[in-house]
Coordinates of all heavy atoms in Angstrom, one line a residue:
M1 N -3.7 -33.1 -26.9 CA -3.3 -32.5 -25.7 C -2.0 -31.8 -25.8 O -1.1 -32.3 -26.4 CB -3.2 -33.6 -24.6 CG -2.8 -33.1 -23.3 SD -2.5 -34.3 -22.0 CE -4.0 -34.0 -21.1
A2 N -2.0 -30.6 -25.3 CA -0.8 -29.7 -25.4 C 0.3 -30.3 -24.5 O 0.1 -31.0 -23.5 CB -1.1 -28.3 -24.9
P3 N 1.6 -30.0 -24.8 CA 2.7 -30.5 -24.0 C 2.7 -30.0 -22.6 O 2.2 -28.9 -22.3 CB 3.9 -30.0 -24.7 CG 3.5 -29.4 -26.0 CD 2.0 -29.2 -25.9
Y4 N 3.2 -30.9 -21.7 CA 3.4 -30.6 -20.3 C 4.9 -30.6 -20.0 O 5.6 -31.5 -20.4 CB 2.7 -31.7 -19.5 CG 3.0 -31.6 -18.0 CD1 2.3 -30.7 -17.2 CD2 3.8 -32.5 -17.4 CE1 2.6 -30.7 -15.8 CE2 4.1 -32.5 -16.0 CZ 3.4 -31.6 -15.3 OH 3.7 -31.5 -13.9
H5 N 5.3 -29.5 -19.4 CA 6.7 -29.3 -19.1 C 7.0 -29.3 -17.6 O 6.7 -28.3 -17.0 CB 7.3 -28.0 -19.7 CG 7.0 -27.9 -21.2 ND1 7.7 -28.6 -22.2 CD2 6.0 -27.2 -21.9 CE1 7.2 -28.4 -23.3 NE2 6.2 -27.5 -23.2
P6 N 7.5 -30.4 -17.0 CA 7.7 -30.4 -15.6 C 8.7 -29.3 -15.1 O 9.7 -29.1 -15.8 CB 8.3 -31.8 -15.3 CG 8.0 -32.6 -16.6 CD 7.9 -31.6 -17.7
V7 N 8.3 -28.7 -14.0 CA 9.1 -27.7 -13.4 C 9.7 -28.2 -12.1 O 10.8 -28.1 -11.8 CB 8.3 -26.4 -13.1 CG1 9.1 -25.4 -12.3 CG2 7.9 -25.8 -14.5
D8 N 8.8 -28.9 -11.3 CA 9.2 -29.5 -10.0 C 8.4 -30.7 -9.8 O 7.2 -30.7 -10.0 CB 9.1 -28.5 -8.9 CG 10.1 -28.7 -7.8 OD1 10.8 -29.6 -7.8 OD2 10.1 -27.8 -6.8
D9 N 9.0 -31.8 -9.3 CA 8.3 -33.1 -9.1 C 9.1 -33.8 -8.0 O 10.2 -34.3 -8.3 CB 8.2 -33.9 -10.4 CG 7.3 -35.1 -10.3 OD1 6.7 -35.3 -9.2 OD2 7.1 -35.8 -11.3
W10 N 8.6 -33.9 -6.8 CA 9.3 -34.5 -5.7 C 8.3 -35.0 -4.6 O 7.2 -34.5 -4.6 CB 10.4 -33.6 -5.1 CG 9.9 -32.3 -4.5 CD1 9.7 -31.2 -5.2 CD2 9.5 -32.1 -3.2 NE1 9.2 -30.2 -4.4 CE2 9.1 -30.7 -3.1 CE3 9.5 -32.8 -2.0 CZ2 8.7 -30.1 -1.9 CZ3 9.1 -32.2 -0.8 CH2 8.7 -30.9 -0.8
S11 N 8.8 -35.9 -3.8 CA 8.0 -36.3 -2.7 C 8.9 -36.5 -1.5 O 10.1 -36.7 -1.6 CB 7.2 -37.6 -3.0 OG 8.1 -38.7 -3.3
Y12 N 8.3 -36.5 -0.3 CA 9.1 -36.6 1.0 C 8.2 -37.2 2.0 O 7.0 -36.9 2.1 CB 9.5 -35.2 1.4 CG 10.2 -35.2 2.7 CD1 11.5 -35.6 2.9 CD2 9.5 -34.7 3.8 CE1 12.2 -35.5 4.1 CE2 10.2 -34.6 5.1 CZ 11.5 -35.0 5.2 OH 12.1 -35.0 6.4
T13 N 8.7 -38.1 2.8 CA 7.9 -38.7 3.9 C 8.7 -38.6 5.2 O 9.9 -38.8 5.3 CB 7.7 -40.2 3.6 OG1 7.1 -40.4 2.3 CG2 6.9 -40.9 4.7
E14 N 7.9 -38.2 6.2 CA 8.5 -38.0 7.6 C 7.4 -38.2 8.6 O 6.3 -37.7 8.4 CB 9.1 -36.6 7.7 CG 9.6 -36.3 9.1 CD 10.1 -34.8 9.3 OE1 10.7 -34.3 8.3 OE2 9.8 -34.2 10.3
D15 N 7.6 -39.0 9.6 CA 6.7 -39.2 10.7 C 5.3 -39.5 10.3 O 4.3 -38.9 10.7 CB 6.6 -37.9 11.6 CG 7.9 -37.6 12.3 OD1 8.7 -38.6 12.6 OD2 8.2 -36.4 12.6
E16 N 5.2 -40.5 9.4 CA 3.9 -41.0 8.9 C 3.1 -40.0 8.0 O 1.9 -40.1 7.8 CB 3.0 -41.5 10.0 CG 3.6 -42.7 10.8 CD 3.8 -43.9 9.9 OE1 2.9 -44.3 9.2 OE2 4.9 -44.5 10.0
K17 N 3.8 -38.9 7.6 CA 3.2 -37.9 6.7 C 4.0 -37.8 5.4 O 5.2 -38.1 5.4 CB 3.2 -36.5 7.4 CG 2.4 -36.5 8.7 CD 2.3 -35.2 9.3 CE 1.4 -35.3 10.5 NZ 1.7 -34.3 11.5
V18 N 3.3 -37.5 4.4 CA 3.9 -37.4 3.0 C 3.6 -36.1 2.4 O 2.5 -35.5 2.5 CB 3.4 -38.6 2.2 CG1 1.9 -38.5 1.9 CG2 4.1 -38.7 0.9
V19 N 4.6 -35.6 1.7 CA 4.5 -34.4 0.8 C 4.8 -34.8 -0.6 O 5.7 -35.5 -0.9 CB 5.5 -33.3 1.3 CG1 5.4 -32.1 0.4 CG2 5.4 -33.0 2.7
K20 N 3.9 -34.5 -1.5 CA 4.1 -34.8 -2.9 C 3.8 -33.5 -3.7 O 2.7 -32.9 -3.6 CB 3.1 -35.9 -3.3 CG 3.1 -36.2 -4.8 CD 4.4 -36.9 -5.2 CE 4.3 -37.3 -6.7 NZ 5.5 -36.9 -7.5
V21 N 4.8 -33.1 -4.5 CA 4.7 -31.9 -5.3 C 4.9 -32.2 -6.8 O 5.8 -32.9 -7.1 CB 5.7 -30.8 -4.8 CG1 5.8 -29.7 -5.8 CG2 5.5 -30.4 -3.4
T22 N 3.9 -31.8 -7.6 CA 4.0 -31.9 -9.0 C 3.6 -30.5 -9.6 O 2.5 -30.1 -9.4 CB 3.1 -33.0 -9.6 OG1 3.4 -34.2 -8.9 CG2 3.3 -33.2 -11.0
I23 N 4.5 -29.9 -10.3 CA 4.3 -28.6 -10.9 C 4.8 -28.6 -12.4 O 6.0 -29.1 -12.6 CB 5.0 -27.5 -10.2 CG1 4.6 -27.4 -8.7 CG2 4.7 -26.1 -10.8 CD1 5.4 -26.5 -7.9
G24 N 4.1 -28.1 -13.3 CA 4.5 -28.0 -14.7 C 3.8 -26.9 -15.4 O 2.7 -26.4 -15.0
T25 N 4.4 -26.5 -16.5 CA 3.7 -25.5 -17.4 C 3.1 -26.2 -18.5 O 3.5 -27.3 -18.9 CB 4.8 -24.5 -17.9 OG1 5.8 -25.2 -18.6 CG2 5.4 -23.7 -16.7
T26 N 2.1 -25.6 -19.1 CA 1.4 -26.2 -20.2 C 0.7 -25.2 -21.0 O 0.3 -24.1 -20.5 CB 0.4 -27.3 -19.7 OG1 -0.2 -27.9 -20.9 CG2 -0.7 -26.8 -18.8
D27 N 0.5 -25.5 -22.3 CA -0.3 -24.6 -23.2 C -1.7 -25.2 -23.4 O -2.5 -24.7 -24.1 CB 0.3 -24.5 -24.5 CG 1.6 -23.7 -24.5 OD1 1.7 -22.8 -23.6 OD2 2.5 -24.0 -25.3
D28 N -2.1 -26.3 -22.6 CA -3.4 -26.9 -22.7 C -4.5 -26.0 -22.3 O -4.4 -25.3 -21.3 CB -3.4 -28.2 -21.8 CG -4.5 -29.1 -22.0 OD1 -5.6 -28.6 -22.2 OD2 -4.4 -30.3 -21.8
D29 N -5.5 -25.9 -23.1 CA -6.6 -25.0 -22.9 C -7.3 -25.3 -21.6 O -8.0 -24.5 -21.0 CB -7.6 -25.0 -24.0 CG -7.1 -24.4 -25.3 OD1 -6.1 -23.6 -25.2 OD2 -7.6 -24.6 -26.4
A30 N -7.2 -26.5 -21.1 CA -7.8 -26.9 -19.8 C -7.2 -26.3 -18.6 O -7.7 -26.3 -17.5 CB -7.8 -28.5 -19.6
Y31 N -6.0 -25.6 -18.8 CA -5.3 -25.0 -17.7 C -5.0 -23.5 -18.2 O -3.9 -23.2 -18.6 CB -4.0 -25.7 -17.4 CG -4.2 -27.1 -17.0 CD1 -4.2 -28.2 -17.9 CD2 -4.5 -27.4 -15.7 CE1 -4.4 -29.5 -17.5 CE2 -4.7 -28.7 -15.3 CZ -4.7 -29.7 -16.2 OH -4.9 -31.0 -15.9
P32 N -6.0 -22.6 -18.1 CA -5.9 -21.2 -18.5 C -4.7 -20.5 -17.8 O -4.2 -19.5 -18.4 CB -7.2 -20.6 -18.2 CG -8.2 -21.7 -18.1 CD -7.4 -22.9 -17.6
S33 N -4.4 -20.9 -16.6 CA -3.3 -20.2 -15.9 C -1.9 -20.5 -16.5 O -0.9 -19.8 -16.2 CB -3.3 -20.7 -14.4 OG -2.9 -22.0 -14.3
G34 N -1.8 -21.6 -17.3 CA -0.5 -22.0 -17.9 C 0.2 -23.0 -17.0 O 1.3 -23.4 -17.3
W35 N -0.4 -23.3 -15.8 CA 0.2 -24.2 -14.9 C -0.7 -25.4 -14.7 O -1.9 -25.3 -14.6 CB 0.4 -23.5 -13.5 CG 1.3 -22.4 -13.5 CD1 1.1 -21.1 -13.6 CD2 2.8 -22.5 -13.4 NE1 2.2 -20.3 -13.6 CE2 3.3 -21.2 -13.5 CE3 3.6 -23.6 -13.3 CZ2 4.6 -20.9 -13.4 CZ3 5.0 -23.3 -13.3 CH2 5.5 -22.0 -13.3
R36 N -0.1 -26.6 -14.5 CA -0.8 -27.8 -14.0 C 0.0 -28.2 -12.8 O 1.2 -28.5 -12.8 CB -0.7 -28.9 -15.1 CG -1.6 -30.0 -14.8 CD -1.6 -31.0 -15.9 NE -0.7 -32.1 -15.7 CZ -0.4 -33.0 -16.6 NH1 -0.9 -33.0 -17.8 NH2 0.5 -33.9 -16.3
Y37 N -0.7 -28.3 -11.6 CA 0.0 -28.6 -10.4 C -0.9 -29.3 -9.4 O -2.1 -29.3 -9.4 CB 0.4 -27.2 -9.7 CG -0.7 -26.4 -9.3 CD1 -1.3 -26.5 -8.0 CD2 -1.3 -25.4 -10.1 CE1 -2.3 -25.7 -7.6 CE2 -2.3 -24.6 -9.7 CZ -2.8 -24.8 -8.5 OH -3.9 -24.0 -8.1
A38 N -0.2 -30.0 -8.5 CA -0.8 -30.6 -7.3 C 0.2 -30.5 -6.2 O 1.3 -31.0 -6.3 CB -1.2 -32.1 -7.6
L39 N -0.2 -29.8 -5.1 CA 0.7 -29.7 -3.9 C 0.0 -30.4 -2.8 O -1.0 -29.9 -2.3 CB 0.9 -28.2 -3.6 CG 1.3 -27.3 -4.8 CD1 1.3 -25.8 -4.3 CD2 2.6 -27.7 -5.4
H40 N 0.5 -31.6 -2.5 CA -0.3 -32.4 -1.5 C 0.6 -32.6 -0.2 O 1.7 -32.9 -0.3 CB -0.6 -33.8 -2.2 CG -1.2 -34.7 -1.2 ND1 -2.5 -34.7 -0.9 CD2 -0.7 -35.8 -0.5 CE1 -2.8 -35.6 -0.1 NE2 -1.7 -36.3 0.2
Y41 N -0.1 -32.5 0.9 CA 0.4 -32.8 2.2 C -0.6 -33.7 2.9 O -1.8 -33.3 3.1 CB 0.7 -31.6 3.0 CG 1.2 -31.8 4.4 CD1 2.1 -32.7 4.7 CD2 0.7 -31.0 5.4 CE1 2.6 -32.9 6.0 CE2 1.1 -31.1 6.7 CZ 2.1 -32.1 7.0 OH 2.5 -32.3 8.3
G42 N -0.2 -34.9 3.3 CA -1.2 -35.8 4.0 C -0.5 -36.8 4.8 O 0.7 -36.8 5.0
T43 N -1.3 -37.9 5.1 CA -0.7 -39.0 5.9 C -0.4 -40.1 4.9 O -1.0 -40.2 3.8 CB -1.7 -39.5 7.0 OG1 -2.8 -40.0 6.3 CG2 -2.1 -38.3 7.9
V44 N 0.4 -41.0 5.4 CA 0.7 -42.2 4.5 C -0.5 -43.1 4.4 O -0.6 -43.9 3.5 CB 1.9 -43.0 5.1 CG1 3.2 -42.2 5.0 CG2 1.7 -43.5 6.5
D45 N -1.5 -42.9 5.3 CA -2.7 -43.7 5.2 C -3.7 -43.1 4.2 O -4.8 -43.6 4.0 CB -3.4 -43.8 6.5 CG -2.6 -44.6 7.5 OD1 -1.8 -45.5 7.1 OD2 -2.7 -44.3 8.7
G46 N -3.4 -42.0 3.5 CA -4.2 -41.4 2.5 C -5.1 -40.2 2.9 O -5.9 -39.7 2.2
E47 N -5.0 -39.8 4.2 CA -5.7 -38.6 4.7 C -5.1 -37.3 4.1 O -3.9 -37.2 4.1 CB -5.7 -38.6 6.2 CG -6.4 -37.4 6.8 CD -6.3 -37.3 8.3 OE1 -6.0 -38.4 8.9 OE2 -6.4 -36.2 8.9
T48 N -5.9 -36.4 3.7 CA -5.4 -35.1 3.2 C -5.4 -34.1 4.3 O -6.4 -33.9 5.0 CB -6.3 -34.6 2.1 OG1 -6.3 -35.4 1.0 CG2 -5.9 -33.2 1.6
I49 N -4.2 -33.6 4.6 CA -4.1 -32.5 5.5 C -4.3 -31.1 4.8 O -5.0 -30.3 5.2 CB -2.7 -32.5 6.2 CG1 -2.6 -33.8 7.0 CG2 -2.5 -31.3 7.1 CD1 -1.2 -34.1 7.6
L50 N -3.6 -31.0 3.7 CA -3.7 -29.8 2.8 C -3.3 -30.2 1.4 O -2.3 -30.9 1.2 CB -2.7 -28.7 3.3 CG -2.6 -27.5 2.5 CD1 -3.9 -26.7 2.4 CD2 -1.4 -26.6 3.0
R51 N -4.1 -29.7 0.4 CA -3.7 -29.9 -1.0 C -4.2 -28.7 -1.7 O -5.4 -28.3 -1.6 CB -4.3 -31.2 -1.5 CG -3.8 -31.4 -3.0 CD -4.2 -32.8 -3.6 NE -5.7 -32.9 -3.8 CZ -6.5 -33.7 -3.1 NH1 -6.0 -34.5 -2.2 NH2 -7.8 -33.7 -3.4
Y52 N -3.4 -28.2 -2.6 CA -3.7 -27.2 -3.6 C -3.6 -27.9 -4.9 O -2.6 -28.6 -5.2 CB -2.8 -26.0 -3.6 CG -2.9 -25.1 -2.3 CD1 -1.9 -25.2 -1.4 CD2 -3.9 -24.3 -2.1 CE1 -1.9 -24.4 -0.2 CE2 -4.0 -23.4 -1.0 CZ -3.0 -23.5 -0.1 OH -3.0 -22.7 1.0
D53 N -4.6 -27.7 -5.8 CA -4.5 -28.3 -7.1 C -5.5 -27.5 -8.1 O -6.3 -26.8 -7.7 CB -4.8 -29.8 -7.1 CG -6.3 -30.1 -6.8 OD1 -7.2 -29.6 -7.4 OD2 -6.5 -31.0 -6.0
N54 N -5.2 -27.8 -9.4 CA -6.1 -27.3 -10.4 C -6.4 -28.4 -11.4 O -6.4 -28.2 -12.6 CB -5.5 -26.1 -11.1 CG -4.2 -26.4 -11.9 OD1 -3.5 -27.4 -11.6 ND2 -3.9 -25.6 -12.8
A55 N -6.8 -29.5 -10.9 CA -7.0 -30.7 -11.7 C -8.1 -30.5 -12.7 O -8.0 -31.0 -13.8 CB -7.4 -31.9 -10.8
R56 N -9.1 -29.7 -12.5 CA -10.1 -29.3 -13.4 C -10.3 -27.8 -13.5 O -11.4 -27.3 -13.3 CB -11.5 -30.0 -13.0 CG -11.4 -31.5 -13.2 CD -12.6 -32.2 -12.7 NE -12.7 -32.4 -11.3 CZ -12.0 -33.3 -10.5 NH1 -11.0 -34.0 -11.1 NH2 -12.1 -33.4 -9.3
E57 N -9.2 -27.2 -13.7 CA -9.1 -25.7 -13.7 C -10.1 -25.1 -14.6 O -10.8 -24.1 -14.3 CB -7.7 -25.2 -14.0 CG -7.6 -23.7 -14.0 CD -6.3 -23.2 -14.4 OE1 -5.3 -23.9 -14.4 OE2 -6.2 -21.9 -14.7
E58 N -10.3 -25.6 -15.8 CA -11.2 -25.0 -16.8 C -12.6 -24.9 -16.3 O -13.3 -23.9 -16.6 CB -11.1 -25.8 -18.1 CG -11.9 -25.1 -19.2 CD -11.8 -25.9 -20.5 OE1 -12.0 -27.1 -20.5 OE2 -11.3 -25.3 -21.5
T59 N -13.0 -25.9 -15.5 CA -14.4 -25.9 -15.0 C -14.5 -25.6 -13.5 O -15.5 -25.0 -13.1 CB -15.1 -27.3 -15.2 OG1 -14.3 -28.3 -14.6 CG2 -15.2 -27.5 -16.7
K60 N -13.5 -26.0 -12.7 CA -13.6 -25.8 -11.2 C -12.6 -24.8 -10.7 O -12.7 -24.4 -9.5 CB -13.4 -27.1 -10.6 CG -14.5 -28.1 -10.9 CD -14.3 -29.5 -10.3 CE -14.4 -29.4 -8.8 NZ -14.3 -30.7 -8.1
G61 N -11.7 -24.3 -11.5 CA -10.7 -23.4 -11.0 C -9.6 -24.0 -10.1 O -9.3 -25.1 -10.3
H62 N -9.1 -23.2 -9.2 CA -8.0 -23.6 -8.3 C -8.7 -23.9 -7.0 O -9.5 -23.2 -6.5 CB -7.0 -22.5 -8.2 CG -6.4 -22.1 -9.5 ND1 -5.2 -22.6 -9.9 CD2 -6.8 -21.2 -10.4 CE1 -4.9 -22.0 -11.1 NE2 -5.9 -21.2 -11.4
E63 N -8.2 -25.0 -6.4 CA -8.8 -25.5 -5.2 C -7.9 -25.7 -4.0 O -6.7 -26.1 -4.3 CB -9.6 -26.8 -5.5 CG -10.7 -26.7 -6.4 CD -11.4 -28.0 -6.7 OE1 -10.7 -29.1 -6.7 OE2 -12.6 -28.0 -6.9
K64 N -8.4 -25.6 -2.8 CA -7.7 -25.9 -1.6 C -8.5 -26.9 -0.9 O -9.7 -26.8 -0.6 CB -7.6 -24.6 -0.7 CG -6.9 -24.9 0.6 CD -7.0 -23.6 1.5 CE -6.4 -23.9 2.8 NZ -6.4 -22.7 3.7
H65 N -7.8 -28.1 -0.6 CA -8.4 -29.2 0.1 C -7.9 -29.3 1.5 O -6.6 -29.2 1.7 CB -8.1 -30.5 -0.6 CG -8.6 -30.5 -2.0 ND1 -9.6 -31.3 -2.5 CD2 -8.1 -29.9 -3.1 CE1 -9.8 -31.1 -3.8 NE2 -8.8 -30.3 -4.2
T66 N -8.7 -29.3 2.5 CA -8.3 -29.5 3.9 C -9.2 -30.6 4.5 O -10.4 -30.4 4.5 CB -8.3 -28.3 4.7 OG1 -9.6 -27.7 4.6 CG2 -7.3 -27.3 4.3
G67 N -8.6 -31.8 4.8 CA -9.5 -32.9 5.2 C -10.4 -33.2 4.1 O -10.1 -33.4 3.0
N68 N -11.7 -33.2 4.4 CA -12.8 -33.5 3.4 C -13.3 -32.2 2.8 O -14.3 -32.3 2.0 CB -13.9 -34.4 4.1 CG -13.4 -35.7 4.4 OD1 -12.6 -36.3 3.7 ND2 -13.9 -36.3 5.5
N69 N -12.8 -31.1 3.2 CA -13.4 -29.8 2.7 C -12.6 -29.4 1.5 O -11.4 -29.5 1.4 CB -13.2 -28.7 3.8 CG -14.0 -29.0 5.1 OD1 -15.1 -29.5 5.0 ND2 -13.4 -28.8 6.2
V70 N -13.4 -28.8 0.6 CA -12.8 -28.2 -0.7 C -13.3 -26.8 -0.9 O -14.5 -26.6 -0.8 CB -13.2 -29.1 -1.9 CG1 -12.5 -28.5 -3.2 CG2 -12.8 -30.5 -1.7
E71 N -12.4 -25.9 -1.2 CA -12.9 -24.5 -1.5 C -12.1 -24.0 -2.7 O -11.0 -24.3 -2.9 CB -12.7 -23.6 -0.3 CG -11.2 -23.4 0.1 CD -11.0 -22.4 1.3 OE1 -11.1 -21.2 1.1 OE2 -10.8 -22.9 2.4
T72 N -12.8 -23.2 -3.5 CA -12.2 -22.6 -4.6 C -11.4 -21.4 -4.1 O -11.9 -20.6 -3.2 CB -13.3 -22.1 -5.6 OG1 -14.0 -23.3 -6.0 CG2 -12.7 -21.5 -6.8
I73 N -10.2 -21.2 -4.6 CA -9.4 -20.1 -4.2 C -9.0 -19.2 -5.4 O -9.0 -19.7 -6.5 CB -8.1 -20.6 -3.5 CG1 -7.2 -21.4 -4.4 CG2 -8.4 -21.4 -2.2 CD1 -5.8 -21.7 -3.9
D74 N -8.6 -18.0 -5.1 CA -8.0 -17.1 -6.1 C -6.6 -17.6 -6.3 O -5.9 -17.9 -5.3 CB -8.0 -15.7 -5.6 CG -9.4 -15.1 -5.6 OD1 -10.2 -15.5 -6.5 OD2 -9.7 -14.2 -4.8
F75 N -6.1 -17.7 -7.5 CA -4.8 -18.1 -7.8 C -3.8 -17.0 -7.7 O -3.9 -16.1 -8.6 CB -4.7 -18.8 -9.1 CG -3.4 -19.4 -9.5 CD1 -2.8 -20.4 -8.8 CD2 -2.8 -18.9 -10.7 CE1 -1.6 -20.9 -9.2 CE2 -1.6 -19.4 -11.1 CZ -0.9 -20.4 -10.3
P76 N -2.9 -16.9 -6.7 CA -2.0 -15.7 -6.6 C -0.8 -15.8 -7.5 O 0.0 -14.9 -7.5 CB -1.6 -15.8 -5.1 CG -1.6 -17.3 -4.8 CD -2.8 -17.9 -5.6
G77 N -0.7 -16.9 -8.2 CA 0.5 -17.2 -9.0 C 1.2 -18.4 -8.4 O 1.0 -18.7 -7.3
M78 N 2.0 -19.1 -9.3 CA 2.6 -20.4 -8.8 C 3.5 -20.2 -7.7 O 3.5 -20.9 -6.7 CB 3.2 -21.1 -10.0 CG 3.5 -22.5 -9.7 SD 2.0 -23.5 -9.6 CE 2.0 -23.9 -7.9
V79 N 4.4 -19.2 -7.7 CA 5.4 -19.0 -6.7 C 4.8 -18.7 -5.3 O 5.1 -19.3 -4.3 CB 6.5 -18.0 -7.1 CG1 7.4 -17.7 -6.0 CG2 7.3 -18.5 -8.3
P80 N 3.9 -17.7 -5.3 CA 3.3 -17.4 -4.0 C 2.5 -18.6 -3.4 O 2.5 -18.8 -2.2 CB 2.3 -16.2 -4.3 CG 2.9 -15.6 -5.5 CD 3.5 -16.7 -6.3
L81 N 1.8 -19.3 -4.3 CA 1.0 -20.5 -3.8 C 2.0 -21.6 -3.3 O 1.7 -22.1 -2.2 CB 0.1 -21.0 -4.9 CG -0.8 -22.2 -4.5 CD1 -1.8 -21.7 -3.4 CD2 -1.5 -22.7 -5.7
Y82 N 3.0 -21.8 -4.0 CA 4.0 -22.8 -3.6 C 4.6 -22.4 -2.2 O 4.8 -23.2 -1.3 CB 5.1 -22.9 -4.7 CG 6.0 -24.1 -4.5 CD1 5.7 -25.3 -4.0 CD2 7.3 -24.0 -5.0 CE1 6.6 -26.4 -3.9 CE2 8.3 -25.0 -4.9 CZ 7.9 -26.2 -4.4 OH 8.8 -27.2 -4.3
E83 N 5.0 -21.1 -2.1 CA 5.6 -20.7 -0.8 C 4.6 -20.8 0.3 O 5.0 -21.2 1.4 CB 6.0 -19.2 -1.0 CG 7.3 -19.1 -1.8 CD 7.7 -17.7 -2.1 OE1 6.9 -16.7 -1.9 OE2 8.8 -17.5 -2.6
R84 N 3.3 -20.5 0.1 CA 2.3 -20.6 1.1 C 2.2 -22.1 1.5 O 2.1 -22.4 2.7 CB 0.9 -20.2 0.6 CG -0.2 -20.3 1.6 CD -1.6 -19.9 0.9 NE -1.6 -18.7 0.1 CZ -2.5 -18.4 -0.7 NH1 -3.6 -19.2 -0.9 NH2 -2.4 -17.3 -1.4
F85 N 2.2 -23.0 0.6 CA 2.1 -24.4 0.8 C 3.3 -24.9 1.7 O 3.1 -25.6 2.7 CB 2.0 -25.2 -0.5 CG 2.2 -26.7 -0.3 CD1 1.1 -27.5 0.1 CD2 3.3 -27.3 -0.7 CE1 1.2 -28.8 0.2 CE2 3.5 -28.7 -0.5 CZ 2.4 -29.5 -0.1
L86 N 4.5 -24.5 1.2 CA 5.7 -25.0 2.0 C 5.8 -24.4 3.4 O 6.2 -25.1 4.3 CB 7.0 -24.6 1.2 CG 7.2 -25.4 -0.1 CD1 8.4 -24.8 -0.8 CD2 7.4 -26.9 0.2
E87 N 5.3 -23.2 3.6 CA 5.2 -22.6 4.9 C 4.4 -23.4 5.9 O 4.8 -23.7 7.0 CB 4.7 -21.2 4.9 CG 4.6 -20.5 6.2 CD 4.1 -19.0 6.1 OE1 4.4 -18.4 5.1 OE2 3.4 -18.6 7.0
T88 N 3.2 -23.9 5.4 CA 2.4 -24.7 6.2 C 3.0 -26.1 6.5 O 3.0 -26.5 7.6 CB 1.0 -25.0 5.5 OG1 0.4 -23.7 5.3 CG2 0.1 -25.9 6.3
V89 N 3.6 -26.7 5.5 CA 4.3 -28.0 5.7 C 5.5 -27.9 6.6 O 5.6 -28.7 7.5 CB 4.7 -28.6 4.3 CG1 5.6 -29.8 4.5 CG2 3.5 -28.9 3.4
R90 N 6.3 -26.8 6.5 CA 7.4 -26.7 7.3 C 7.1 -26.4 8.8 O 7.9 -26.6 9.7 CB 8.3 -25.5 6.8 CG 9.1 -26.0 5.5 CD 10.1 -24.9 5.1 NE 10.8 -25.3 3.9 CZ 10.8 -24.6 2.8 NH1 10.2 -23.4 2.7 NH2 11.4 -25.1 1.7
S91 N 5.9 -25.8 9.0 CA 5.5 -25.6 10.4 C 5.2 -26.9 11.1 O 5.1 -26.9 12.3 CB 4.2 -24.7 10.4 OG 3.1 -25.4 10.0
D92 N 5.0 -28.0 10.4 CA 4.7 -29.3 11.0 C 5.9 -30.3 10.8 O 6.1 -31.1 11.7 CB 3.5 -29.9 10.3 CG 2.9 -31.0 11.1 OD1 3.1 -31.1 12.3 OD2 2.3 -31.9 10.4
L93 N 6.6 -30.2 9.7 CA 7.7 -31.2 9.4 C 9.0 -30.4 9.5 O 9.1 -29.3 9.0 CB 7.5 -31.8 8.1 CG 6.3 -32.6 7.9 CD1 6.2 -33.2 6.4 CD2 6.2 -33.8 8.9
E94 N 10.0 -31.1 10.0 CA 11.3 -30.4 10.3 C 12.3 -30.4 9.1 O 13.0 -29.4 8.9 CB 12.0 -30.9 11.5 CG 11.2 -30.7 12.7 CD 12.0 -31.0 14.0 OE1 13.2 -31.1 13.9 OE2 11.4 -31.1 15.0
D95 N 12.3 -31.5 8.3 CA 13.4 -31.6 7.3 C 12.9 -31.6 5.9 O 13.5 -32.3 5.0 CB 14.1 -32.9 7.6 CG 14.8 -32.9 9.0 OD1 15.4 -31.8 9.3 OD2 14.8 -33.9 9.7
V96 N 11.9 -30.9 5.6 CA 11.4 -30.8 4.2 C 12.6 -30.3 3.3 O 13.2 -29.3 3.6 CB 10.2 -29.9 4.1 CG1 9.7 -29.8 2.6 CG2 9.0 -30.4 4.9
P97 N 12.9 -31.1 2.2 CA 14.1 -30.8 1.4 C 14.0 -29.5 0.6 O 15.0 -29.2 0.0 CB 14.2 -32.0 0.6 CG 12.8 -32.6 0.4 CD 12.2 -32.2 1.7
R98 N 12.9 -28.9 0.4 CA 12.9 -27.7 -0.5 C 12.6 -26.5 0.3 O 12.0 -26.4 1.3 CB 11.8 -27.9 -1.5 CG 11.9 -29.1 -2.4 CD 12.5 -28.7 -3.7 NE 12.3 -29.7 -4.7 CZ 13.2 -30.6 -5.1 NH1 14.3 -30.8 -4.4 NH2 13.0 -31.4 -6.1

């Protein structure tokens, strides 16, 4: 397995909701974009409100999860996707640290 280089890794909890961000670069062939990431926003009880990830990028691509729905998305690049994610989270939570 090719090396994974963390870029950002943090979590935050507010009002029974949790944000967990894991972003890294990699040369692993399983991640053709060069990124391995999971941007998760959900409840402390385990419900997904919004998640972007590329857990199986080589076979499934980049995905957006909302509740129980999953859709394949075009990957706009890590920075635009991260900004889109944070915009959604900040519209609901007041003190997100990033």
